[in-house]
Amino acid sequence: MKIYKILGVFSIVTITLSSCANIKKNENTKSAIQSNKKPNIVYILTDQWRGSALGYAGDTNVKTPNLDKFAKESVNFTNAVSVTPVCTPHRAALLTGKYPTSTGMFINDLYLPEEELCMAEIFKTEGYSTAYWGKWHLDGHGRSNYIPKERRQGFDYWKALECSHDYNKMPYYDNEDTNIKYWDEYSPFAITKDANKYLSEHVNDENPFLMFISISTPHFPHYSAPQKYKDMYPTEGLKINANVPKNLEEKTRKELQGYYAHCTATDEAIGSVLAKIKALNLLENTIIVFSADHGEMMGGHGEVPFTKQLAWDESTRVPFLISYPGIHQNKGAVVNAPINTPDILPSLLGLTNSKVPNSIEGEDISQLIKNPDPNADRVALIMGVSPFSSSYKDPSYRAIRTKQYSYTRSPQGATQLFDNVKDPYQMNNLLDKPEFETLQKDLDAKLQKALKDVGDDFKPKEFYLKKWNYVLDKNRKAIDYWSWEKGNGVVQSPKAVSN
């Protein structure tokens, strides 16, 4: 009996050790799978958030504690720009990695053709699940119509709408449900709550995910910001930039109150997503981006609040923070070289060791993201192809941004040259000054090269409107999106579309 008991104990121990070995083997296998899994991507795009309007960027007015903290955990591109500083053109360039003159997407409310190869479609071929929330503004079938799956450019999970700025009763469509719904609270909070739910449900997926969270704030109307946040910004205490003329100071203060209130509320919403990613232990295998589609003038240079599309920094410069697996010692690093909208998609592909399709025109600067150098420099091309709506009478332009300088040309010739380091409010135009002649020639040569690289001959705006057969409303000088509400809208797109 004693022998049997000993043998029995020995057997139990052997089985137990064997089981432990198997468990450890399974855990190691799971770890190996996790380490080989491509990183998730969470892209947070806001609307009309100026690159300067954040605490970490030096704005002493605004309270953005969550993004200030995230800036210390990510790489900060201080001179990120929007290739065409208005909604639809930026979003089309972001999703395709191509320039507006190549896609024809240079005005709001156009339809981005299904034939364009886009971000979600590319990442799906790499095994990614895809999800989209919020403002789309690429469908061109009116601003409140249902967008069927075949027009979502590869995004599967879908809680979005073409365009609305009713933040307190924001409409949206829920996946394949063709009935319009409404978020039940201030939309940045509602959207990020749903995004956090998605994170929780997909945390253990075998496949990586691409989440695109498109938040419409702090775009106007600014008065609609929650009162709690507006109370944080008494108008009399707001500091106005030096380039805002006296006659616009009162209006600018009024708009800034709501603008900053939206910023702070949106910062809180974004903070909840960042906290959820950390709580789910996803940080070490997730790329996180915070950015915006364009800025806004807010009284600068005498341009009334709400204005964008122009070549000034207030309009073109946007925030761009990026965190990625293995960032470690690069947390809080600064890159002063510009990143341009078409560069973002190929750089994300580079960070995920994914193939960059030949159709993409932007540059993969993932190596600069992984090896941030504040002294590096490069050229970012900015396009005002055909100003529309309230900016219709403004001249078209092409511009470049380097880490120090901005240089702009209209069809008639050079118009602006600024040293943005010495002159951050762009109040001293150095154009045609003898002491800057060599610099001006160098920047002009860089601009011409950038145009040549993307095949842009820089014609007058009428050329591009005629080339793509676009017709602007005679009164509003914009693509007619409002007629869709009356049932007689017409799709305008770079490719022929049957209504």
Side-chain angles (χ1 to χ4, degrees), residues 187-198:
S187 60
F189 296 151
I191 286 169
T192 51
K193 280 182 181 177
D194 196 83
N196 284 343
K197 183 172 179 285
Y198 182 94

Side-chain angles (χ1 to χ4, degrees), residues 38-39 41 117-132 149-157 176 198 207-211 345 349 352 354-355 357:
K38 285 181 178 288
I41 301 171
L117 183 62
C118 290
M119 179 186 287
E121 296 167 315
I122 298 168
F123 278 105
K124 280 174 77 170
T125 66
E126 297 288 335
Y128 280 73
S129 303
T130 59
Y132 196 97
K149 195 163 188 174
E150 63 268 19
R151 299 208 304 260
R152 298 175 193 167
Q153 301 293 354
F155 286 101
D156 292 329
Y157 184 91
E176 310 319 309
Y198 182 94
N207 293 336
F209 53 74
L210 164 65
M211 295 174 59
L345 174 54
L349 291 168
T352 58
S354 302
K355 187 178 185 299

Side-chain angles (χ1 to χ4, degrees), residues 41-195:
I41 301 171
V42 177
Y43 198 102
I44 302 170
L45 181 69
T46 57
D47 196 342
Q48 206 156 303
W49 200 323
R50 309 200 305 174
S52 61
L54 294 123
Y56 73 80
D59 191 326
T60 56
N61 290 312
V62 70
K63 300 172 178 66
T64 51
N66 294 290
L67 288 167
D68 293 351
K69 182 180 177 183
F70 184 52
K72 296 176 181 177
E73 300 169 349
S74 58
V75 176
N76 176 13
F77 279 77
T78 63
N79 290 309
V81 296
S82 177
V83 64
T84 295
V86 69
C87 297
T88 296
H90 175 91
R91 291 158 194 268
L94 174 59
L95 293 192
T96 63
K98 296 166 70 174
Y99 284 81
T101 46
S102 298
T103 62
M105 299 292 292
F106 52 82
I107 302 178
N108 272 358
D109 297 289
L110 296 170
Y111 169 57
L112 179 64
E114 295 168 47
E115 294 88 344
E116 288 288 357
L117 183 62
C118 290
M119 179 186 287
E121 296 167 315
I122 298 168
F123 278 105
K124 280 174 77 170
T125 66
E126 297 288 335
Y128 280 73
S129 303
T130 59
Y132 196 97
W133 290 262
K135 179 179 174 179
W136 180 243
H137 217 172
L138 291 169
D139 190 58
H141 290 69
R143 292 191 170 185
S144 60
N145 284 337
Y146 174 74
I147 301 172
K149 195 163 188 174
E150 63 268 19
R151 299 208 304 260
R152 298 175 193 167
Q153 301 293 354
F155 286 101
D156 292 329
Y157 184 91
W158 183 264
K159 288 196 176 178
L161 183 86
E162 175 70 351
C163 181
S164 171
H165 293 288
D166 188 351
Y167 307 124
N168 297 301
K169 193 182 178 184
M170 176 74 78
Y172 73 99
Y173 289 95
D174 184 347
N175 291 288
E176 310 319 309
D177 188 345
T178 59
N179 298 303
I180 200 162
K181 296 184 177 182
Y182 296 87
W183 294 112
D184 59 5
E185 61 180 320
Y186 181 65
S187 60
F189 296 151
I191 286 169
T192 51
K193 280 182 181 177
D194 196 83

Side-chain angles (χ1 to χ4, degrees), residues 51-52 54 56-57 71 74-81 288-291 317-324 327 332-340 343-344 347 351 363-374 376-378 401 403:
S52 61
L54 294 123
Y56 73 80
S74 58
V75 176
N76 176 13
F77 279 77
T78 63
N79 290 309
V81 296
I288 308 168
V289 177
F290 161 70
S291 192
R317 197 163 70 85
V318 294
F320 192 88
L321 301 177
I322 183 165
S323 173
Y324 53 90
I327 188 171
V334 167
V335 175
N336 295 312
I339 184 170
N340 201 1
D343 302 324
I344 296 169
S347 299
L351 287 173
E363 183 182 352
D364 172 7
I365 60 169
S366 57
Q367 289 305 311
L368 182 57
I369 295 171
K370 290 190 286 188
N371 301 283
D373 178 1
D377 202 3
R378 59 194 301 270
R401 187 73 156 76
K403 71 175 183 177

Side-chain angles (χ1 to χ4, degrees), residues 282-493:
L282 286 169
L283 198 59
E284 280 305 310
N285 199 39
T286 302
I287 297 167
I288 308 168
V289 177
F290 161 70
S291 192
D293 55 1
H294 53 80
E296 84 129 277
M297 295 305 300
M298 195 59 77
H301 306 286
E303 299 289 344
V304 296
F306 316 147
T307 305
K308 47 260 191 184
Q309 299 192 55
L310 302 173
W312 303 103
D313 254 15
E314 288 88 351
S315 169
T316 62
R317 197 163 70 85
V318 294
F320 192 88
L321 301 177
I322 183 165
S323 173
Y324 53 90
I327 188 171
H328 303 310
Q329 73 275 10
N330 291 331
K331 289 182 178 181
V334 167
V335 175
N336 295 312
I339 184 170
N340 201 1
T341 315
D343 302 324
I344 296 169
L345 174 54
S347 299
L348 292 175
L349 291 168
L351 287 173
T352 58
N353 295 314
S354 302
K355 187 178 185 299
V356 178
N358 292 332
S359 61
I360 288 178
E361 296 174 331
E363 183 182 352
D364 172 7
I365 60 169
S366 57
Q367 289 305 311
L368 182 57
I369 295 171
K370 290 190 286 188
N371 301 283
D373 178 1
N375 298 312
D377 202 3
R378 59 194 301 270
V379 171
L381 172 63
I382 305 168
M383 301 176 156
V385 180
S386 181
F388 60 91
S389 191
S390 60
S391 298
Y392 179 76
K393 292 183 179 179
D394 292 324
S396 59
Y397 65 87
R398 302 293 186 272
I400 57 168
R401 187 73 156 76
T402 68
K403 71 175 183 177
Q404 184 168 359
Y405 299 105
S406 293
Y407 176 70
T408 308
R409 289 184 68 94
S410 75
Q412 287 70 45
T415 57
Q416 295 177 339
L417 170 56
F418 295 107
D419 183 333
N420 300 310
V421 174
K422 296 179 180 178
D423 179 24
Y425 296 114
Q426 297 181 319
M427 300 175 71
N428 181 23
N429 194 347
L430 306 177
L431 197 71
D432 296 331
K433 293 187 176 181
E435 61 268 39
F436 298 103
E437 180 181 0
T438 301
L439 172 65
Q440 184 172 329
K441 286 181 178 178
D442 177 61
L443 291 172
D444 193 76
K446 285 182 167 65
L447 172 56
Q448 299 303 328
K449 182 181 184 303
L451 293 172
K452 184 178 180 181
D453 287 346
V454 298
D456 179 12
D457 294 329
F458 189 13
K459 304 283 189 181
K461 64 181 178 181
E462 293 77 13
F463 170 85
Y464 300 94
L465 293 172
K466 184 177 180 181
K467 175 181 178 180
W468 303 103
N469 298 311
Y470 297 151
V471 178
L472 303 185
D473 177 81
K474 291 181 180 179
N475 295 318
R476 300 197 196 183
K477 304 298 183 184
I479 297 292
D480 178 3
Y481 63 85
W482 49 92
S483 288
W484 288 91
E485 301 296 329
K486 304 170 188 174
N488 57 355
V490 176
V491 177
Q492 296 200 50
S493 174

